[in-house]
């Protein structure tokens, strides 16, 4: 069985591509160096023996990527804060236009198509978000994910949309909160804390997200189904900071910044559909997941 993973040099994509290869799948790991693909993660994939394809989904030919059994589409431009202003055009390009072209390329071959969306489409949550809830995207990034969902669901492909919730773990991007906080605790340089830290998130370990994504590629579900992929327990950012400090023996130094545009007060994953349709539940607690991420930071520092 041949599987394409787009965004394979990304934080989540690199873990997913390696897990599929370890399970015996023929994986085509697709990413674009000119669009900022991580050279460190590309090196990890190469060491694991994966086939790496350097491809821009907006400008390059995609016909060969569609001639497979499964397409796992994780490529895109991440980040709520950087999607405002000058970043809006690149966010639309990499998240909407790229998805539109990939979906069109798959029209004839009709592979199983799994699209990685985001919990940001919901806006603020005052209860666990249900996949049928009205969405409220509050940033260009969130709108780009909502627009891409519409493209995927209207494509006629046997497609599944996964809404990921606040993923963390080894290889997390340097711009993400836990990466910044752990590095701050290890080297003593303050990391930015946006707002008062009272924001709550359904922090979800990358290994759990990979497991859900693989299940979505293999378990029969109705085409166009949306499924939340998140931990059902929400944790405040300042409480996560305290846990990082406890695990490292020193609190991460921070400098308070204004609340970022588009930053919601709370995300909260409703997980009944993932449990029912995929037989999946997040099983990694925050302390265990943070310990694994901290261990990765220490290995990385040792070279």
């Amino acid at each position: 069985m041949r599987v394409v993973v787009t965004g394979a040099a990304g934080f989540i994509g690199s873990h997913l591509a390696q897990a599929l290869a370890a399970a015996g799948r023929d994986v085509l790991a697709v990413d674009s160096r000119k669009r900022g693909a991580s050279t460190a993660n590309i090196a990890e994939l190469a060491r694991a023996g994966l086939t790496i394809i350097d491809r821009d989904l907006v400008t390059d030919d995609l016909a060969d990527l569609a001639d497979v059994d499964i397409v796992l589409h994780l490529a895109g431009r991440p980040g709520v804060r950087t999607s405002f202003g000058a970043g809006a055009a690149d966010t639309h390009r990499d998240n909407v236009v790229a998805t539109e072209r990939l979906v069109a390329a798959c029209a004839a071959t009709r592979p199983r198509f799994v699209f990685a969306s985001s919990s940001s489409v919901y806006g603020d949550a005052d209860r666990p978000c249900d996949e049928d809830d009205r969405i409220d995207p509050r940033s260009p990034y969130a709108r780009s994910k909502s627009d891409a969902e519409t493209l995927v669901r209207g494509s006629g492909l046997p497609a599944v949309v996964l809404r990921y919730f606040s993923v963390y773990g080894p290889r997390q991007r340097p711009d993400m909160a836990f990466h910044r906080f752990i590095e701050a605790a290890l080297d003593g340089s303050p990391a930015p804390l946006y707002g008062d830290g009272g924001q709550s998130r359904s922090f979800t370990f990358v290994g759990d997200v990979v497991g859900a994504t693989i299940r979505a590629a293999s378990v029969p579900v109705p085409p166009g189904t949306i499924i939340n992929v998140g931990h059902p327990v929400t944790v405040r950012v300042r409480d996560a900071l305290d846990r990082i400090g406890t695990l490292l023996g020193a609190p991460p130094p921070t400098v308070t910044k204004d609340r970022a545009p588009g930053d919601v007060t709370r995300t909260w994953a409703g997980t009944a559909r993932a449990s029912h349709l995929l037989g999946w539940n997040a099983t990694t607690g925050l302390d265990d997941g943070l310990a694994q991420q901290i261990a990765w930071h220490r290995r990385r520092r040792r070279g």
Side-chain angles (χ1 to χ4, degrees), residues 56-75:
D56 186 329
L57 300 183
V58 172
T59 60
D60 296 340
D61 183 76
L62 308 180
D64 59 327
L65 303 187
D67 190 20
V68 295
D69 300 289
I70 299 169
V71 172
L72 302 174
H73 180 35
L74 277 68

Side-chain angles (χ1 to χ4, degrees), residues 63-144:
D64 59 327
L65 303 187
D67 190 20
V68 295
D69 300 289
I70 299 169
V71 172
L72 302 174
H73 180 35
L74 277 68
R77 181 168 292 270
V80 168
R81 289 190 303 276
T82 57
S83 70
F84 286 90
D90 279 341
T91 298
H92 180 81
R93 176 199 189 277
D94 292 346
N95 294 352
V96 182
V97 178
T99 301
E100 184 176 32
R101 290 194 77 238
L102 186 60
V103 164
C106 292
T109 53
R110 295 180 54 78
R112 181 73 174 268
F113 196 101
V114 179
F115 173 61
S117 186
S118 166
S119 64
S120 66
V121 302
Y122 287 117
D124 259 320
D126 57 7
R127 59 177 176 77
C129 292
D130 182 270
E131 290 88 347
D132 295 325
D133 288 346
R134 182 182 67 85
I135 62 173
D136 182 23
R138 299 186 179 185
S139 66
Y141 170 74
R143 286 193 294 274
S144 76

Side-chain angles (χ1 to χ4, degrees), residues 239-250:
D239 292 336
L241 266 171
D242 289 342
R243 295 191 191 192
I244 291 170
T246 298
L247 288 165
L248 284 169

Side-chain angles (χ1 to χ4, degrees), residues 75-279:
R77 181 168 292 270
V80 168
R81 289 190 303 276
T82 57
S83 70
F84 286 90
D90 279 341
T91 298
H92 180 81
R93 176 199 189 277
D94 292 346
N95 294 352
V96 182
V97 178
T99 301
E100 184 176 32
R101 290 194 77 238
L102 186 60
V103 164
C106 292
T109 53
R110 295 180 54 78
R112 181 73 174 268
F113 196 101
V114 179
F115 173 61
S117 186
S118 166
S119 64
S120 66
V121 302
Y122 287 117
D124 259 320
D126 57 7
R127 59 177 176 77
C129 292
D130 182 270
E131 290 88 347
D132 295 325
D133 288 346
R134 182 182 67 85
I135 62 173
D136 182 23
R138 299 186 179 185
S139 66
Y141 170 74
R143 286 193 294 274
S144 76
K145 284 297 189 179
S146 172
D147 290 346
E149 285 187 8
T150 300
L151 287 168
V152 170
R153 298 183 73 204
S155 66
L157 296 174
V160 182
V161 171
L162 303 181
R163 289 176 177 165
Y164 293 162
F165 282 71
S166 300
V167 187
Y168 72 100
R171 300 182 199 161
Q172 192 184 48
R173 298 191 320 272
D175 63 293
M176 299 181 76
F178 287 177
H179 187 115
R180 298 194 314 265
F181 296 152
I182 293 168
E183 287 294 311
L186 291 172
D187 64 22
S189 298
L193 174 63
Y194 295 96
D196 63 0
Q199 307 96 309
S200 294
R201 298 287 183 266
S202 283
F203 293 115
T204 312
F205 186 65
V206 66
D208 287 335
V209 171
V210 166
T213 306
I214 292 173
R215 293 286 293 171
S218 56
V219 174
V221 297
T225 299
I226 298 171
I227 302 175
N228 290 336
V229 175
H231 200 289
V233 177
T234 64
V235 177
R236 292 182 302 180
V237 171
R238 61 172 169 259
D239 292 336
L241 266 171
D242 289 342
R243 295 191 191 192
I244 291 170
T246 298
L247 288 165
L248 284 169
T254 60
V255 56
T256 302
K257 300 283 187 179
D258 290 339
R259 185 88 167 262
D263 185 20
V264 299
T265 300
R266 189 179 207 178
T267 67
W268 195 350
T271 59
R273 185 174 292 181
S275 179
H276 174 66
L277 292 181
L278 302 182

Side-chain angles (χ1 to χ4, degrees), residues 15-33:
H15 286 281
L16 177 61
Q18 284 186 299
L20 289 163
R25 302 295 174 91
D26 180 8
V27 179
L28 305 180
V30 180
D31 217 312
S32 172
R33 292 178 186 270

